[in-house]
Amino acid sequence: MTAPRAAIRPLPEHLVNQIAAGEVVERPASVVKELVENSLDAGARRIDVELVDGGIERIVVSDDGSGIAAAELGAAFSRHWTSKLHDARELEALVSLGFRGEALASIAAVADVAVVTRTADDTHAWQVAAAAGAALPPPRPARGNRGCRIEASALFARIPARRRFLKQARTEFLHVLRLMRHFAFARPEVAFSLSQAGARGLRVRPATYGVDAPRWRAVFGAAFCQEAQVLDFMLDGIAVAGWVGGAALAGNHNDLQFIVLNGRIIRDRNLHHAVRAAYGESVPAGSYPAYALALSVAPDSVDVNVHPGKLEVRFADLRAVHDVLHTAVRRALPEAGGRAGGVAAPAALGEAPARTYVATAPAATTRPAALAEATWPGRPLGLVGRRYLVDEQAGVVRVFDLVEAWRAVLTVRLAEPSVARPLLLPVRLAPGQLAALAARPGLAARGFEFDDLGPAGGVLRAVPTILPALDWMAFVAALVDAGEAAPADIAKAAACCLALEPPPPASRRALDELARAAGAAGVALDTFARTLDAAALARLFDRG
């Protein structure tokens, strides 16, 4: 028996808001994250968070930022209203933490909300208060300092199905505490405090003089501050700064694994994979290394508009970020086979200058600026036969042999010491392939790493950083057939297996990579180009 057909009808507005809120507000820590990010975007230099019952009963976030004008309070509670985004083009290079215009609207759909705010132009504060899902009344005059004080009470009280999924008050408090430690790491210039029922859980002052061991002890703990190594690294426009703890600091939990991107708290398993792989076997399986890392990339090279809670991001070139992060951490860990990175000697956390921490102020690049910033000089027009690039520069059309160009570049570069980078997806090796490659010690010396899985064969886990994107399965087969491990043999196998991207603009990054590699190797790319003048073009197209 079929069920009767239900009529299609619109959802009630309050139900729409509650469903939308579920994408943003999962627990008290979600509320705190949205409100603190709004405070930071408002230029706050002090942010205080107070909780009752872990935030389940009440959350209060106070700041000294720019505040909200009384005439705009209604708009601030409306979905998809924001002061931080006005044009679709701004989505390509977002720098504000909040931009969706959903924070207050989502919170007000699932909690009772009260706001007291005052701008620099106001002679007094203004306040509004409304029950969850109810209409917002007109603002009323109130007492209050410049900034904003937002109180969210009775979270999910009117949505029992959501409230029952909340944990005990202590567990919810610990989630908020970890979040606030992340904020304290991401924004060292801001003072933060967290308290529950009058008991202080965290209080840190701004790190204004570079050396601020009390702040970092409060954020990371004394053991990490004493043992962690400074990391300050930059390559190809990607900066990594912060601290990494050695194997002795590894623990049973991942609560001391901080990664921020351009001052934004993110979670990305690929980035954590890059860091974990850098430790190699120095940290046993089941243990979690400790680190606090701030990445800085060009805003237009990352899309932060892919997750309602703004926790996940999408990189234009994930492989490049992954490799730079892995290389930076590996060099900072002597026990992982690297060296101290970015500093003359290992230094304790309390001795670290603030500039090595703030992602927006990275240290000098590790290679000459001319090479780090080298780009492809021409305008790529297309790719022929997955080998030949048709390119135009100053009105001249040329055809480049990319395979031969990479072969020449890699022959030079592979003769130099190389750092290994892990593959995002390890390549499975048949038993015969593993035996053939493992018998060539020159491969390990150049950055190749293999794991023996017994009768099943093995996997290729890491390759030299200088190798471009390849068809790794085909590369392994070509490397086995090469029979040797000399730079020229590896270069030939790699050049024949280039994972060349489609025509522009997707191919532009790969061409820039070739330009930088050629510059570092001292290889003239013009050697691999054939100019198509008017006569050649006429012959090519039979136009006599």
Side-chain angles (χ1 to χ4, degrees):
M1 182 177 179
T2 59
R5 187 185 69 83
I8 300 175
R9 57 182 182 271
L11 290 171
E13 184 66 21
H14 72 280
L15 186 54
V16 171
N17 290 336
Q18 288 182 357
I19 293 173
E23 298 178 345
V24 177
V25 180
E26 300 175 356
R27 61 193 331 152
S30 306
V31 176
V32 173
K33 179 177 184 295
E34 295 294 330
L35 296 181
V36 170
E37 287 181 341
N38 278 354
S39 296
L40 291 170
D41 282 340
R45 285 296 178 266
R46 179 179 182 86
I47 301 174
D48 301 310
V49 179
E50 306 169 46
L51 305 178
V52 174
D53 287 343
I56 299 172
E57 292 306 319
R58 185 164 73 245
I59 300 167
V60 180
V61 177
S62 306
D63 67 58
D64 62 354
S66 58
I68 305 172
E72 296 178 347
L73 276 169
F77 278 82
S78 300
R79 291 188 63 210
H80 309 310
W81 284 62
T82 180
S83 62
K84 305 164 190 176
L85 186 65
H86 303 95
D87 190 287
R89 290 171 296 182
E90 296 178 59
L91 284 172
E92 299 175 4
L94 286 165
V95 293
S96 61
L97 299 178
F99 51 84
R100 292 171 176 262
E102 295 178 356
L104 283 178
S106 295
I107 295 169
V110 295
D112 300 342
V113 177
V115 178
V116 177
T117 182
R118 179 177 177 179
T119 69
D121 297 330
D122 288 330
T123 57
H124 57 77
W126 295 89
Q127 68 177 4
V128 292
L136 197 70
R140 297 182 293 109
R143 285 186 173 184
N145 297 323
R146 180 177 179 267
C148 211
R149 181 185 187 275
I150 301 180
E151 178 178 329
S153 306
L155 184 63
F156 301 137
R158 294 170 179 80
I159 314 175
R162 296 283 303 281
R163 193 174 176 94
R164 75 168 65 105
F165 281 96
L166 296 178
K167 306 300 183 182
Q168 294 182 353
R170 173 166 175 75
T171 301
E172 298 298 345
F173 171 77
L174 292 176
H175 280 288
V176 177
L177 176 60
R178 186 169 191 270
L179 173 70
M180 294 301 294
R181 291 168 63 207
H182 267 83
F183 275 123
F185 168 61
R187 301 298 291 266
E189 77 280 10
V190 179
F192 293 95
S193 72
L194 170 65
S195 61
Q196 175 165 245
R200 189 172 70 196
L202 177 73
R203 183 177 181 181
V204 292
R205 296 179 179 177
T208 53
Y209 296 103
V211 176
D212 198 337
R215 179 183 179 102
W216 305 129
R217 280 199 299 269
V219 175
F220 303 124
F224 185 83
C225 290
Q226 184 175 356
E227 301 294 337
Q229 302 298 309
V230 174
L231 188 156
D232 189 359
F233 184 86
M234 185 174 181
L235 182 64
D236 294 343
I238 302 170
V240 186
W243 299 277
V244 291
L249 290 176
N252 297 325
H253 304 284
N254 65 349
D255 59 343
L256 221 172
Q257 294 186 340
F258 293 6
I259 291 183
V260 300
L261 174 71
N262 293 351
R264 181 188 308 278
I265 298 172
I266 64 168
R267 61 184 182 207
D268 190 295
R269 61 184 180 86
N270 293 311
L271 299 186
H272 285 290
H273 169 269
V275 177
R276 181 62 179 85
Y279 281 83
E281 296 181 357
S282 64
V283 174
S287 293
Y288 297 90
Y291 48 84
L293 301 170
L295 278 75
S296 178
V297 303
D300 60 357
S301 70
V302 59
D303 182 2
V304 301
N305 187 31
V306 297
H307 185 272
K310 305 181 294 295
L311 284 168
E312 298 175 6
V313 298
R314 181 184 295 116
F315 293 98
D317 191 347
L318 173 60
R319 198 201 79 182
V321 179
H322 179 279
D323 293 352
V324 170
L325 179 58
H326 174 268
T327 300
V329 174
R330 191 173 181 86
R331 290 189 177 187
L333 291 172
E335 62 206 38
R339 57 177 176 78
V343 289
L349 179 62
E351 302 169 2
R355 69 171 183 84
T356 64
Y357 163 73
V358 183
T360 54
T365 180
T366 58
R367 65 167 64 180
L371 297 183
E373 299 172 2
T375 58
W376 188 259
R379 183 168 66 93
L381 302 175
L383 194 64
V384 180
R386 299 190 60 79
R387 174 169 183 166
Y388 301 100
L389 173 74
V390 182
D391 179 84
E392 183 270 333
Q393 182 178 2
V396 177
V397 178
R398 298 189 294 179
V399 176
F400 280 87
D401 188 335
L402 297 181
V403 169
E404 284 303 309
W406 267 116
R407 182 176 177 177
V409 168
L410 292 175
T411 298
V412 175
R413 298 297 306 279
L414 286 166
E416 307 167 350
S418 179
V419 176
R421 63 175 173 86
L423 294 171
L424 287 175
L425 295 174
V427 179
R428 179 59 67 96
L429 304 174
Q433 291 177 319
L434 177 64
L437 297 178
R440 304 173 195 170
L443 292 176
R446 289 185 170 85
F448 291 91
E449 296 180 4
F450 306 95
D451 279 355
D452 189 341
L453 302 180
V459 292
L460 172 62
R461 292 205 177 275
V463 298
T465 301
I466 58 176
L467 287 184
L470 303 177
D471 179 339
W472 297 110
M473 294 287 289
F475 171 69
V476 166
L479 197 57
V480 170
D481 292 340
E484 299 292 339
D489 300 309
I490 301 173
K492 180 180 179 181
C496 294
C497 303
L498 290 171
L500 295 177
E501 299 184 57
S507 61
R508 186 80 206 201
R509 291 192 302 272
L511 295 175
D512 289 345
E513 181 182 10
L514 174 56
R516 289 192 294 268
V523 173
L525 289 176
D526 288 347
T527 307
F528 308 96
R530 176 185 174 187
T531 300
L532 298 179
D533 55 19
L537 287 171
R539 289 193 300 271
L540 183 64
F541 293 103
D542 294 326
R543 294 182 179 176

